[in-house]
Amino acid sequence: MSEGGYINLYGRDVTKRHRAEEALRHSEEQVRLLLDSTAEAIYGLDPAGNCTFVNPSCLRMLGYADESELLGNNMHDLIHHHRIDGSLYPKEECQVYLAFKEGRGVHTDAEVLWRSDGTNFPVEYWSYPILKDGEGIGSVVTFIDITERKQAEMTMRFALQEAEVSREKIAAILKSVTDGLIVTDLNRRVVLMNRAAEKFLGTTLGEAFSRPVQDLIPAKGVAEEVLGILRGQVPGEGQEWEQSDAASDRAWMIQARSSGVKGAGGNISGAITTLRDVTREREIDQMKNEFISTAAHELRTPLTSVLGYTELLLNPEEYGISGEEQRREYLNYVYDKAQALGGIIEDLLDLSRVQAGKVLSLSPGPCEIGALLGKVVDPYRKLSSRHRFELVLPEEPVTLVADQKKLEQVLDNLISNAVKFSPDGGEIRVKGQVLKGRYQVTVRDEGIGMTSEGVARVFDKFYRVDASTTAVAGLGLGMAIAKSIIDAHGGTIRVESEPGKGTKVTFSLPLA
Ligand code: ATP
Ligand code: MG
């Protein structure tokens, strides 16, 4: 008998058995220690699905105080009867249960488990069938709580959704901005472009993507400015160029301004270039310049006469002026020219009033329109022998409530235009008639006419078709003022014209 051996009551040597039992106890202890200390939840099931063992992590996660509360219970009834959204479902639909019944293993993260307090939590779940001699004798299950992971996933999904919404918002904003926008990278290659920029440059983002900005924008200065910005220089005043539009065969004046785009770290990561249609502004600038020279000319001509005649009158002996009649004649010239000057100044004042957003103030009173038409046409009839004047009026005189002086100003401009712009003479027909509760006046000439562009812009301030010449007097204000006067009376005015054929201006005023 070896030392440290065991003899049982009947004198048999049971050392071997005892050692085997000891080893078994030791290994059971090891397993128990492992099961107790592991953070994963572990439980075992018998073939009926009843709990045969459970580790402390499992008890803790499921919210039970003692293993006796779980041992012997059917785990599928206890913890598996909720879907991920919390709704109840029959055991037969539970994939974990079905796999258990069929002796299959399962690994899933689409499960929630039910705690003792009626709450549930998402888990990642593994189940392994236990086989003995090829027979299933139950299964062992481990799971971990993945609440945080699911929350992180939710947060991520939410953030992604938010980002998508913001992206769509930004895309919509970019699309609807009327200025063109081009974003270029550090190599001055196009990475983004909105619809307005596509329109201005006659290309699409698809075609332009990744191309150097200097390929797209004819003005060299733009690419140079972008380069400067990428090197940290201060953006300049912007660049302008004329861009022809293939679709409408007109030309645009486009102004480009660039600035740096800063990335998350505060470093310049590219440039954004805005394109603005400045065609109208440049046209207005040009009109203003022309206006200044015309206005100077218009004011100087009568002023020269006023100065000339007053000088004569002041030195009668020197210039051989004798007799009251001659003196009166010269004084009349001075008076007329001063009145012309006054008229120009009046026009400018009217205009600045309208420009300041003030409606023209009217002094309305009864106004017999036929007589007014006659009063305006008469002097022109005497002055211009080249034109045949025809005045057609309704049989009965018609009286309107209107500002007589202002209407006279409108008519005077229409008739003076008809005379000025019919250099070869021809008929000038002025017609007044009552139509549909309104009084309508038409002034028709057989002069040079206007193109459709001229017609479209005839009411613009300072607009004159041939602004470069001062041969025909005028500031380009008459029609703008006429329109504001007719508007102030609640009337309408329109122009029809054809180059070489003549022009017809029609305005109508309410009768009541
Ligand atoms: P102002 O009336 O201020 O003395 P203007 O006669 O040039 O100057 P508007 O009366 O406003 O200015 O007319 C604007 C422009 O429209 C004219 O310069 C001319 O080019 C064109 N226009 C106006 N009336 C006629 C017309 N009857 N026939 C041809 N062109 C016309
Ligand atoms: Mg005029």
Side-chain angles (χ1 to χ4, degrees), residues 476-504:
L477 289 179
M479 291 300 271
I481 292 170
K483 182 160 175 12
S484 58
I485 292 174
I486 299 295
D487 284 350
H489 279 90
T492 56
I493 180 162
R494 64 171 196 277
V495 175
E496 293 149 84
S497 189
E498 219 180 300
K501 294 242 166 88
T503 303
K504 179 172 134 189

mmCIF file of all heavy atoms in Angstrom, residues 476-504:
data_model
loop_
_atom_site.group_PDB
_atom_site.id
_atom_site.type_symbol
_atom_site.label_atom_id
_atom_site.label_comp_id
_atom_site.label_asym_id
_atom_site.label_seq_id
_atom_site.Cartn_x
_atom_site.Cartn_y
_atom_site.Cartn_z
ATOM 1 N N GLY A 476 -33.590 111.214 -71.817
ATOM 2 C CA GLY A 476 -34.047 109.841 -71.601
ATOM 3 C C GLY A 476 -34.891 109.721 -70.351
ATOM 4 O O GLY A 476 -34.947 108.680 -69.719
ATOM 5 N N LEU A 477 -35.544 110.807 -69.978
ATOM 6 C CA LEU A 477 -36.359 110.798 -68.759
ATOM 7 C C LEU A 477 -37.845 110.878 -69.045
ATOM 8 O O LEU A 477 -38.670 110.453 -68.250
ATOM 9 C CB LEU A 477 -35.999 111.994 -67.885
ATOM 10 C CG LEU A 477 -34.653 111.949 -67.212
ATOM 11 C CD1 LEU A 477 -34.449 113.220 -66.398
ATOM 12 C CD2 LEU A 477 -34.575 110.730 -66.329
ATOM 13 N N GLY A 478 -38.197 111.462 -70.236
ATOM 14 C CA GLY A 478 -39.594 111.780 -70.534
ATOM 15 C C GLY A 478 -40.527 110.597 -70.324
ATOM 16 O O GLY A 478 -41.555 110.730 -69.648
ATOM 17 N N MET A 479 -40.177 109.429 -70.863
ATOM 18 C CA MET A 479 -41.080 108.290 -70.789
ATOM 19 C C MET A 479 -41.140 107.733 -69.362
ATOM 20 O O MET A 479 -42.196 107.291 -68.919
ATOM 21 C CB MET A 479 -40.651 107.191 -71.780
ATOM 22 C CG MET A 479 -40.843 107.580 -73.224
ATOM 23 S SD MET A 479 -42.560 107.961 -73.615
ATOM 24 C CE MET A 479 -43.170 106.361 -74.068
ATOM 25 N N ALA A 480 -40.000 107.763 -68.655
ATOM 26 C CA ALA A 480 -40.001 107.280 -67.266
ATOM 27 C C ALA A 480 -40.931 108.148 -66.433
ATOM 28 O O ALA A 480 -41.737 107.648 -65.635
ATOM 29 C CB ALA A 480 -38.588 107.310 -66.704
ATOM 30 N N ILE A 481 -40.857 109.459 -66.648
ATOM 31 C CA ILE A 481 -41.718 110.377 -65.892
ATOM 32 C C ILE A 481 -43.166 110.206 -66.331
ATOM 33 O O ILE A 481 -44.081 110.156 -65.499
ATOM 34 C CB ILE A 481 -41.214 111.831 -66.045
ATOM 35 C CG1 ILE A 481 -39.861 111.960 -65.339
ATOM 36 C CG2 ILE A 481 -42.220 112.821 -65.485
ATOM 37 C CD1 ILE A 481 -39.144 113.260 -65.622
ATOM 38 N N ALA A 482 -43.389 110.064 -67.655
ATOM 39 C CA ALA A 482 -44.761 109.872 -68.154
ATOM 40 C C ALA A 482 -45.385 108.658 -67.488
ATOM 41 O O ALA A 482 -46.534 108.699 -67.034
ATOM 42 C CB ALA A 482 -44.745 109.693 -69.671
ATOM 43 N N LYS A 483 -44.622 107.597 -67.373
ATOM 44 C CA LYS A 483 -45.190 106.379 -66.774
ATOM 45 C C LYS A 483 -45.540 106.607 -65.312
ATOM 46 O O LYS A 483 -46.605 106.192 -64.855
ATOM 47 C CB LYS A 483 -44.209 105.217 -66.909
ATOM 48 C CG LYS A 483 -44.783 103.925 -66.337
ATOM 49 C CD LYS A 483 -44.094 102.726 -66.859
ATOM 50 C CE LYS A 483 -44.557 101.420 -66.228
ATOM 51 N NZ LYS A 483 -45.735 101.415 -65.441
ATOM 52 N N SER A 484 -44.648 107.294 -64.581
ATOM 53 C CA SER A 484 -44.978 107.494 -63.167
ATOM 54 C C SER A 484 -46.192 108.407 -63.006
ATOM 55 O O SER A 484 -46.981 108.229 -62.081
ATOM 56 C CB SER A 484 -43.765 107.979 -62.381
ATOM 57 O OG SER A 484 -43.283 109.170 -62.940
ATOM 58 N N ILE A 485 -46.368 109.360 -63.943
ATOM 59 C CA ILE A 485 -47.553 110.238 -63.862
ATOM 60 C C ILE A 485 -48.821 109.439 -64.172
ATOM 61 O O ILE A 485 -49.821 109.518 -63.443
ATOM 62 C CB ILE A 485 -47.416 111.430 -64.833
ATOM 63 C CG1 ILE A 485 -46.290 112.355 -64.350
ATOM 64 C CG2 ILE A 485 -48.745 112.193 -64.965
ATOM 65 C CD1 ILE A 485 -45.962 113.495 -65.309
ATOM 66 N N ILE A 486 -48.783 108.628 -65.242
ATOM 67 C CA ILE A 486 -49.960 107.829 -65.604
ATOM 68 C C ILE A 486 -50.284 106.827 -64.495
ATOM 69 O O ILE A 486 -51.435 106.649 -64.114
ATOM 70 C CB ILE A 486 -49.737 107.102 -66.966
ATOM 71 C CG1 ILE A 486 -49.514 108.125 -68.084
ATOM 72 C CG2 ILE A 486 -50.891 106.175 -67.298
ATOM 73 C CD1 ILE A 486 -50.706 109.013 -68.397
ATOM 74 N N ASP A 487 -49.233 106.202 -63.945
ATOM 75 C CA ASP A 487 -49.438 105.271 -62.826
ATOM 76 C C ASP A 487 -50.121 105.977 -61.658
ATOM 77 O O ASP A 487 -51.046 105.444 -61.051
ATOM 78 C CB ASP A 487 -48.104 104.690 -62.339
ATOM 79 C CG ASP A 487 -47.572 103.620 -63.283
ATOM 80 O OD1 ASP A 487 -48.327 103.195 -64.197
ATOM 81 O OD2 ASP A 487 -46.400 103.214 -63.121
ATOM 82 N N ALA A 488 -49.643 107.180 -61.341
ATOM 83 C CA ALA A 488 -50.209 107.911 -60.200
ATOM 84 C C ALA A 488 -51.686 108.243 -60.420
ATOM 85 O O ALA A 488 -52.451 108.387 -59.463
ATOM 86 C CB ALA A 488 -49.411 109.189 -59.958
ATOM 87 N N HIS A 489 -52.103 108.322 -61.708
ATOM 88 C CA HIS A 489 -53.512 108.571 -62.019
ATOM 89 C C HIS A 489 -54.330 107.280 -62.086
ATOM 90 O O HIS A 489 -55.502 107.310 -62.433
ATOM 91 C CB HIS A 489 -53.638 109.290 -63.376
ATOM 92 C CG HIS A 489 -53.411 110.770 -63.292
ATOM 93 N ND1 HIS A 489 -52.164 111.334 -63.444
ATOM 94 C CD2 HIS A 489 -54.267 111.806 -63.074
ATOM 95 C CE1 HIS A 489 -52.263 112.653 -63.328
ATOM 96 N NE2 HIS A 489 -53.527 112.970 -63.095
ATOM 97 N N GLY A 490 -53.683 106.139 -61.813
ATOM 98 C CA GLY A 490 -54.394 104.854 -61.903
ATOM 99 C C GLY A 490 -54.595 104.423 -63.343
ATOM 100 O O GLY A 490 -55.503 103.643 -63.646
ATOM 101 N N GLY A 491 -53.766 104.923 -64.244
ATOM 102 C CA GLY A 491 -53.904 104.564 -65.658
ATOM 103 C C GLY A 491 -52.841 103.585 -66.103
ATOM 104 O O GLY A 491 -52.058 103.077 -65.296
ATOM 105 N N THR A 492 -52.846 103.298 -67.412
ATOM 106 C CA THR A 492 -51.827 102.397 -67.969
ATOM 107 C C THR A 492 -51.247 103.039 -69.221
ATOM 108 O O THR A 492 -51.918 103.831 -69.885
ATOM 109 C CB THR A 492 -52.428 101.042 -68.379
ATOM 110 O OG1 THR A 492 -53.495 101.299 -69.287
ATOM 111 C CG2 THR A 492 -52.935 100.252 -67.198
ATOM 112 N N ILE A 493 -49.996 102.666 -69.530
ATOM 113 C CA ILE A 493 -49.365 103.199 -70.740
ATOM 114 C C ILE A 493 -48.562 102.093 -71.395
ATOM 115 O O ILE A 493 -47.954 101.262 -70.705
ATOM 116 C CB ILE A 493 -48.478 104.429 -70.414
ATOM 117 C CG1 ILE A 493 -47.811 104.975 -71.696
ATOM 118 C CG2 ILE A 493 -47.426 104.129 -69.367
ATOM 119 C CD1 ILE A 493 -47.286 106.397 -71.547
ATOM 120 N N ARG A 494 -48.639 102.012 -72.739
ATOM 121 C CA ARG A 494 -47.835 100.995 -73.423
ATOM 122 C C ARG A 494 -47.327 101.538 -74.758
ATOM 123 O O ARG A 494 -47.868 102.526 -75.295
ATOM 124 C CB ARG A 494 -48.638 99.711 -73.632
ATOM 125 C CG ARG A 494 -49.835 99.860 -74.531
ATOM 126 C CD ARG A 494 -50.433 98.498 -74.855
ATOM 127 N NE ARG A 494 -51.320 98.622 -76.004
ATOM 128 C CZ ARG A 494 -52.578 99.017 -75.946
ATOM 129 N NH1 ARG A 494 -53.121 99.334 -74.760
ATOM 130 N NH2 ARG A 494 -53.312 99.122 -77.041
ATOM 131 N N VAL A 495 -46.290 100.910 -75.261
ATOM 132 C CA VAL A 495 -45.653 101.364 -76.500
ATOM 133 C C VAL A 495 -45.601 100.198 -77.477
ATOM 134 O O VAL A 495 -45.246 99.083 -77.101
ATOM 135 C CB VAL A 495 -44.212 101.858 -76.202
ATOM 136 C CG1 VAL A 495 -43.489 102.209 -77.499
ATOM 137 C CG2 VAL A 495 -44.240 103.069 -75.290
ATOM 138 N N GLU A 496 -45.995 100.458 -78.728
ATOM 139 C CA GLU A 496 -45.798 99.472 -79.793
ATOM 140 C C GLU A 496 -44.961 100.167 -80.852
ATOM 141 O O GLU A 496 -45.187 101.334 -81.147
ATOM 142 C CB GLU A 496 -47.142 99.066 -80.412
ATOM 143 C CG GLU A 496 -48.047 98.299 -79.466
ATOM 144 C CD GLU A 496 -49.514 98.571 -79.753
ATOM 145 O OE1 GLU A 496 -50.070 97.906 -80.644
ATOM 146 O OE2 GLU A 496 -50.083 99.480 -79.099
ATOM 147 N N SER A 497 -44.001 99.454 -81.393
ATOM 148 C CA SER A 497 -43.126 100.117 -82.352
ATOM 149 C C SER A 497 -42.453 99.100 -83.267
ATOM 150 O O SER A 497 -42.309 97.935 -82.902
ATOM 151 C CB SER A 497 -42.057 100.908 -81.587
ATOM 152 O OG SER A 497 -41.330 101.707 -82.487
ATOM 153 N N GLU A 498 -42.062 99.574 -84.420
ATOM 154 C CA GLU A 498 -41.323 98.712 -85.348
ATOM 155 C C GLU A 498 -40.271 99.582 -86.016
ATOM 156 O O GLU A 498 -40.597 100.687 -86.497
ATOM 157 C CB GLU A 498 -42.294 98.169 -86.390
ATOM 158 C CG GLU A 498 -42.003 96.728 -86.739
ATOM 159 C CD GLU A 498 -43.005 96.237 -87.770
ATOM 160 O OE1 GLU A 498 -44.227 96.249 -87.481
ATOM 161 O OE2 GLU A 498 -42.557 95.886 -88.860
ATOM 162 N N PRO A 499 -39.026 99.094 -86.070
ATOM 163 C CA PRO A 499 -37.990 99.935 -86.669
ATOM 164 C C PRO A 499 -38.333 100.306 -88.119
ATOM 165 O O PRO A 499 -38.785 99.463 -88.893
ATOM 166 C CB PRO A 499 -36.742 99.033 -86.642
ATOM 167 C CG PRO A 499 -37.024 97.980 -85.638
ATOM 168 C CD PRO A 499 -38.508 97.805 -85.616
ATOM 169 N N GLY A 500 -38.207 101.578 -88.421
ATOM 170 C CA GLY A 500 -38.454 102.046 -89.794
ATOM 171 C C GLY A 500 -39.909 102.290 -90.121
ATOM 172 O O GLY A 500 -40.225 102.898 -91.148
ATOM 173 N N LYS A 501 -40.818 101.821 -89.245
ATOM 174 C CA LYS A 501 -42.245 101.963 -89.549
ATOM 175 C C LYS A 501 -42.925 103.028 -88.700
ATOM 176 O O LYS A 501 -43.871 103.680 -89.156
ATOM 177 C CB LYS A 501 -42.963 100.624 -89.318
ATOM 178 C CG LYS A 501 -42.535 99.524 -90.286
ATOM 179 C CD LYS A 501 -43.719 99.070 -91.109
ATOM 180 C CE LYS A 501 -43.298 98.236 -92.312
ATOM 181 N NZ LYS A 501 -43.186 96.813 -92.005
ATOM 182 N N GLY A 502 -42.474 103.167 -87.473
ATOM 183 C CA GLY A 502 -43.103 104.160 -86.622
ATOM 184 C C GLY A 502 -43.469 103.589 -85.263
ATOM 185 O O GLY A 502 -43.237 102.415 -84.984
ATOM 186 N N THR A 503 -44.026 104.464 -84.448
ATOM 187 C CA THR A 503 -44.280 104.120 -83.043
ATOM 188 C C THR A 503 -45.682 104.547 -82.667
ATOM 189 O O THR A 503 -46.176 105.576 -83.145
ATOM 190 C CB THR A 503 -43.251 104.856 -82.149
ATOM 191 O OG1 THR A 503 -41.942 104.489 -82.577
ATOM 192 C CG2 THR A 503 -43.424 104.532 -80.679
ATOM 193 N N LYS A 504 -46.294 103.723 -81.795
ATOM 194 C CA LYS A 504 -47.612 104.096 -81.289
ATOM 195 C C LYS A 504 -47.577 103.983 -79.769
ATOM 196 O O LYS A 504 -47.255 102.925 -79.227
ATOM 197 C CB LYS A 504 -48.656 103.135 -81.865
ATOM 198 C CG LYS A 504 -50.068 103.407 -81.392
ATOM 199 C CD LYS A 504 -51.038 102.536 -82.163
ATOM 200 C CE LYS A 504 -52.030 101.893 -81.234
ATOM 201 N NZ LYS A 504 -52.857 100.892 -81.885
#
